[in-house]
Amino acid sequence: MIDLYKAIEIFHDNVKGVSIGAIVDVGHSFIFWESDENEEFSETAATAINKTTGKVTAYFEPDHWDELDKAIEIEIPK
């Protein structure tokens, strides 16, 4: 099982040069949104990290509105 801290490590290993703007838990995955140095969200797809496998995939919000409505917002660890 991939915990939040391992998911953050996987995110930074796979997505270079950006900060984490937001994280939510949708049950099967942690979803990460990127932000720039001005803390503005990028217009790219979010990144999903599967909690079981650690697999990294693009997460297109329009395909997952129902899932996002039930998501739990996660405070970004400092």
Side-chain angles (χ1 to χ4, degrees):
M1 187 72 150
I2 305 296
D3 68 10
L4 176 62
Y5 295 98
K6 181 64 177 174
I8 291 170
E9 180 181 322
I10 292 169
F11 175 83
H12 284 301
D13 287 346
N14 286 274
V15 183
K16 306 289 186 198
V18 298
S19 297
I20 298 170
I23 307 170
V24 297
D25 182 340
V26 294
H28 57 80
S29 299
F30 291 107
I31 311 302
F32 292 79
W33 282 270
E34 303 169 16
S35 67
D36 64 17
E37 62 277 351
N38 297 320
E39 297 184 5
E40 293 186 21
F41 287 94
S42 78
E43 294 185 22
T44 61
T47 302
I49 300 179
N50 185 285
K51 289 181 177 181
T52 302
T53 65
K55 183 177 178 180
V56 178
T57 56
Y59 189 86
F60 299 101
E61 295 170 30
D63 296 340
H64 301 281
W65 290 132
D66 292 341
E67 195 170 67
L68 288 169
D69 283 341
K70 300 172 190 150
I72 299 167
E73 191 171 341
I74 305 292
E75 185 174 337
I76 301 168
K78 301 289 179 199

